[in-house]
Amino acid sequence: MAREDFIAVAADDWYQRRRQDAEGRFFLGVAEQGPRKGAGGSTRQGIYALTAAGKLLAYRNAGQNPDVMREVITDAHRTWKSLPESERKPGTVQIGDHGPVDARFTRMPPENGLIVRVSARLLDRGADGGFKDAACETGRGDEASRDHLWITEAEWKSLVPASPRAGGKVPVPVGLAARIARFHLVDHTRGEPNFWSAEEVRLNQLSLIMEEVGPTRITFRVEGAVLLTTDADFAKAQRGFDARVSGWLEFDRERKAFTRFDLVAVGDHWGRGTYTGPARPGRTPLGLAFELTEGKSPAERVAPQAARDVSGYFAAGPRN
Amino acid sequence: MSSRLLCASPAVFLALALHASSTDANAADASARAQFAELHALIKPRVAEQKWEQIPWLTSLWEARQKAAREGKPILLWEMDGHPLGCT
């Protein structure tokens, strides 16, 4: 029904409620018709059904509950059908151009950059010492969560030496290594995560080794380890992640493009975030998987969570 | 066979040792790659966890308005703190 009978759109309320442009004003006008008016600048999150002209048809703050989403869609469709045809007929309502966009609250992937999908999943240790799916009783916490890592053109180009040789090591740009550690080695399985400050990065070793150098392709092996803790004393830290990083990258020398950017970070995580309620007790395994995307669909182009502070995101060096 | 090996030159032993070492390294490398692939697949979203991708979500409310007006459909807006299609 959502696919056939509605035009579906998803947005981050943090941006939508702040932007001062035509889209922001339109959204506030719709939200004002519902119960969640965002007093004091607070959240207006929820599921809205509305007309193109801006009439609110239904609203619920449902989080990610599919049953509530289904109810909203069904109720809204009934209300929509009850509207006069003059409000529903294709082409009756005219929507002009957007006009100037509030760039402070609009994010676009870096030009010619890489978009890497980052998935997080709670894990358990199996009897064989390997990892397996975690049994999680909190909501749908046993499912993978997602975010995106953005890498600039200058950064990915710097990973490819002019004269590559098998066995050679390539330094990872400090800013990129810090961005990965601080903003992407986080537990976002239960919602908006806390990121790591520069001081909380106790160890961040990332090595890129040219494993195979052929006429058409370079294969890189990635090895590393991170220690991210809220306190310099490992034992006292309220939140932390002690993980090993491994992976494989592939660079197509003819296309001059990365075709693979697979990383895994896995290790013990502990502690809860500001907005992410009960965490599993103790230190338990968390896994993060990185994978290159083509960035073609709107969903793949959604900004990294940490890019709300976009200048901080791209300048995530050790002292920033 | 063993007598022939005993008579072989040190260079032959070295070559055999290097070959064995190379074979071991290749096996270890293949095993490491397989373990990596297994772990990567374990963490990534499963097909059942990506059903939401079957809906052609837009990320611009303005674009959704234009499309809805053109096609005579209502808009379904999923608005969260943290992008519903990203990290929320």
Side-chain angles (χ1 to χ4, degrees):
Chain A
M1 196 174 203
R3 189 171 49 217
E4 306 295 332
D5 298 326
F6 287 82
I7 303 301
V9 56
D12 183 344
D13 186 59
W14 188 90
Y15 293 97
Q16 292 293 90
R17 69 176 185 258
R18 286 174 168 82
R19 57 191 298 169
Q20 294 177 15
D21 57 14
E23 183 166 329
R25 286 189 290 276
F26 174 76
F27 170 65
L28 293 184
V30 173
E32 285 294 321
Q33 298 168 51
R36 201 151 205 179
K37 302 182 195 306
S42 64
T43 180
R44 290 174 174 82
Q45 71 176 1
I47 297 167
Y48 296 79
L50 57 139
T51 68
K55 181 182 284 185
L56 182 65
L57 302 173
Y59 170 83
R60 290 282 291 279
N61 182 23
Q64 295 165 318
N65 186 325
D67 293 331
V68 177
M69 175 75 93
R70 201 172 294 117
E71 278 178 36
V72 172
I73 291 172
T74 306
D75 290 351
H77 196 252
R78 197 177 301 122
T79 307
W80 166 257
K81 286 290 185 189
S82 72
L83 294 178
E85 196 173 338
S86 60
E87 293 185 44
R88 294 186 287 123
K89 197 175 170 187
T92 309
V93 178
Q94 299 294 318
I95 309 297
D97 289 337
H98 186 288
V101 169
D102 188 343
R104 296 170 304 164
F105 301 108
T106 308
R107 300 286 178 270
M108 298 295 286
E111 197 173 347
N112 299 321
L114 302 182
I115 300 176
V116 181
R117 181 168 68 173
V118 185
S119 309
R121 188 184 293 278
L122 302 180
L123 302 172
D124 279 335
R125 284 192 172 81
D128 62 353
F131 293 100
K132 61 177 187 176
D133 271 351
C136 179
E137 296 172 356
T138 305
R140 294 157 70 195
D142 54 350
E143 294 186 3
S145 55
R146 56 193 176 272
D147 197 5
H148 297 109
L149 160 67
W150 282 355
I151 300 174
T152 66
E153 182 180 21
E155 286 169 339
W156 69 253
K157 281 186 170 175
S158 76
L159 300 178
V160 186
S163 304
R165 59 175 179 82
K169 280 193 174 182
V170 181
V172 179
V174 171
L176 175 58
R179 187 182 316 141
I180 291 172
R182 290 184 53 197
F183 303 134
H184 293 287
L185 299 187
V186 295
D187 177 8
H188 44 72
T189 57
R190 296 182 315 286
E192 291 184 285
N194 287 61
F195 300 112
W196 305 104
S197 70
E199 291 71 26
E200 289 170 339
V201 180
R202 314 293 171 184
L203 172 73
N204 188 13
Q205 289 178 341
L206 210 53
S207 297
L208 199 58
I209 302 125
M210 285 174 281
E211 192 80 4
E212 296 162 7
V213 177
T216 60
R217 191 177 65 178
I218 304 172
T219 302
F220 300 86
R221 179 165 50 86
V222 182
E223 289 178 348
V226 293
L227 178 61
L228 311 161
T229 58
T230 51
D231 193 294
D233 184 339
F234 181 83
K236 287 182 183 169
Q238 294 294 309
R239 189 165 49 85
F241 190 35
D242 179 6
R244 295 189 66 81
V245 182
S246 56
W248 297 92
L249 315 185
E250 284 178 7
F251 181 76
D252 185 322
R253 301 182 80 176
E254 290 173 340
R255 287 175 49 204
K256 299 190 188 313
F258 274 95
T259 54
R260 184 182 185 195
F261 206 102
D262 287 351
L263 297 180
V264 159
V266 66
D268 282 340
H269 186 279
W270 66 97
R272 57 195 290 177
T274 308
Y275 305 110
T276 53
R280 291 192 292 174
R283 302 182 179 204
T284 53
L286 171 73
L288 293 119
F290 294 64
E291 184 177 36
L292 197 62
T293 76
E294 292 186 343
K296 287 183 176 171
S297 74
E300 287 177 340
R301 298 171 70 81
V302 166
Q305 175 76 2
R308 288 174 175 179
D309 172 14
V310 72
S311 56
Y313 182 76
F314 283 113
R319 296 293 168 202
N320 289 307
Chain B
M1 180 77 176
S2 58
S3 62
R4 285 176 65 191
L5 273 178
L6 284 171
C7 296
S9 70
V12 172
F13 280 116
L14 182 61
L16 286 169
L18 285 174
H19 174 70
S21 163
S22 163
T23 305
D24 288 349
N26 287 343
D29 184 49
S31 172
R33 286 183 189 238
Q35 280 181 8
F36 173 82
E38 198 175 319
L39 192 54
H40 198 251
L42 174 68
I43 299 167
K44 285 195 310 181
R46 319 275 156 71
V47 173
E49 294 171 3
Q50 299 185 90
K51 284 185 178 171
W52 58 273
E53 289 184 354
Q54 294 168 7
I55 296 170
W57 294 100
L58 299 176
T59 52
S60 159
L61 179 55
W62 201 265
E63 194 182 329
R65 283 189 78 192
Q66 291 174 321
K67 198 164 193 280
R70 218 167 36 239
E71 298 182 15
K73 291 181 179 178
I75 298 165
L76 177 67
L77 168 62
W78 187 12
E79 179 104 357
M80 298 283 285
D81 272 308
H83 204 293
L85 308 184
C87 180
T88 188

